[in-house]
Amino acid sequence: MGPLIEVVDQIMQERGYVPAESLEGKTIKMKEFSENYCGNRAPEWIRTFIFDEYPEVDVKNGGWVVHPRRTKNGKTTIIFQRRAAKWMDEHDTEIDWDAKLP
């Protein structure tokens, strides 16, 4: 990496620019969350065995998912990817990946 690139990178970092590959501030929907973090589990499986079992993931409780279930306040589930990825990495062994929906 040349000196000019290093200077540009330093200026961008000082000004708060985020690299394109960063997850900072990015949101994803259930389909992408399922594909990337849950082995393509069905949305209802994710809601039941992650969102319901771990209420701390709800943004109302300081978590990373908005509208884990449809309510009068909203029906679209929004997931803050960076925080979700970190939480999933820290809790993946606690999740019962063999759980079956009733």
Side-chain angles (χ1 to χ4, degrees):
M1 183 170 5
L4 179 58
I5 300 235
E6 291 174 10
V7 170
V8 169
D9 285 347
Q10 181 180 353
I11 291 169
M12 291 182 73
Q13 185 176 15
E14 288 171 1
R15 293 188 177 187
Y17 293 109
V18 178
E21 66 274 4
S22 171
L23 300 180
E24 187 72 33
K26 290 187 179 177
T27 60
I28 56 176
K29 294 184 178 179
M30 285 292 284
K31 183 177 187 321
E32 189 175 352
F33 180 70
S34 173
E35 291 170 355
N36 292 322
Y37 302 98
C38 300
N40 285 314
R41 299 290 194 296
E44 189 58 29
W45 190 98
I46 295 169
R47 286 185 170 90
T48 301
F49 298 111
I50 298 178
F51 299 167
D52 292 352
E53 288 289 318
Y54 302 93
E56 70 265 25
V57 303
D58 192 320
V59 293
K60 292 179 181 176
N61 301 323
W64 42 264
V65 61
V66 179
H67 307 305
R69 290 202 173 266
R70 292 179 178 159
T71 67
K72 63 179 171 126
N73 297 323
K75 63 179 184 171
T76 302
T77 301
I78 301 168
I79 297 164
F80 291 95
Q81 189 173 10
R82 182 184 57 80
R83 293 188 308 204
K86 182 177 186 295
W87 189 93
M88 291 295 290
D89 189 50
E90 293 171 355
H91 296 84
D92 61 351
T93 59
E94 299 167 24
I95 297 167
D96 182 0
W97 295 102
D98 295 322
K100 305 284 185 222
L101 287 168

